[in-house]
Amino acid sequence: MLSSVPTDAAIQRIVPFIHVADVQRSIDFYALLGMECCARFGPEGRPYWASMRCPGGDLMIGAADGPVDPSTQAVMFYVYASDLSVMRRHLLLNGLEDGGDYTGGPRGDRVVFNPRYPDYLPDGEMRVHDPDGYVVLVATVREAVP
């Protein structure tokens, strides 16, 4: 049987850290979703690390040592927004490709798909692919998320 973790040894929070082909490009992309760059290291315009923040979450971004293959990205981000249609229009106006209905399989980077309305989330969710192929699922939230 596992023992309880002592309070002073328990983790306090968790922050995803992803490797990307171009840190500045990822900063720009996640800023479109409403995140703010809090810190970055590296030359102007070519940072090798950055920290992004939004209410309720943080993300660290680091330059990959080798090629980034979108078909092998095994991390998915689940984020919340108040209005999917407004978010989708914003992303399309800022250069993301319209992917239409998502039907499975990899479909490129910087793509936003039509919202879908599964039984478990009748207010909808929308799939977005970031510049490195990471999947960002945006769900509608009607109240503050803890």
Side-chain angles (χ1 to χ4, degrees):
M1 185 163 132
L2 297 174
S3 63
S4 297
V5 175
T7 303
D8 57 348
I11 63 171
Q12 300 299 309
R13 60 184 250 224
I14 188 167
V15 178
F17 187 128
I18 59 174
H19 287 104
V20 300
D22 183 321
V23 172
Q24 185 61 54
R25 181 178 70 172
S26 291
I27 290 170
D28 296 342
F29 177 83
Y30 284 96
L32 284 175
L33 295 177
M35 297 190 85
E36 175 186 353
C37 184
C38 306
R40 73 181 82 205
F41 291 99
E44 186 64 35
R46 294 291 304 160
Y48 57 82
W49 179 89
S51 176
M52 304 291 291
R53 176 168 290 153
C54 68
D58 296 311
L59 174 66
M60 286 192 279
I61 302 167
D65 292 335
V68 176
D69 179 358
S71 69
T72 63
Q73 301 303 4
V75 174
M76 181 182 294
F77 299 106
Y78 210 87
V79 301
Y80 298 89
S82 58
D83 191 316
L84 293 181
S85 61
V86 171
M87 173 64 80
R88 188 170 194 283
R89 275 193 309 273
H90 168 72
L91 295 173
L92 290 170
L93 286 171
N94 283 278
L96 269 70
E97 177 186 339
D98 185 342
D101 292 334
Y102 180 73
T103 57
R107 295 271 303 267
D109 59 7
R110 292 186 52 85
V111 179
V112 59
F113 296 91
N114 289 329
R116 60 187 205 98
Y117 302 89
D119 292 342
Y120 61 86
L121 194 64
D123 291 330
E125 70 182 3
M126 176 176 66
R127 185 180 180 105
V128 180
H129 292 186
D130 87 350
D132 292 282
Y134 289 103
V135 174
V136 180
L137 287 178
V138 183
T140 298
V141 63
R142 296 195 180 271
E143 54 190 62
V145 176

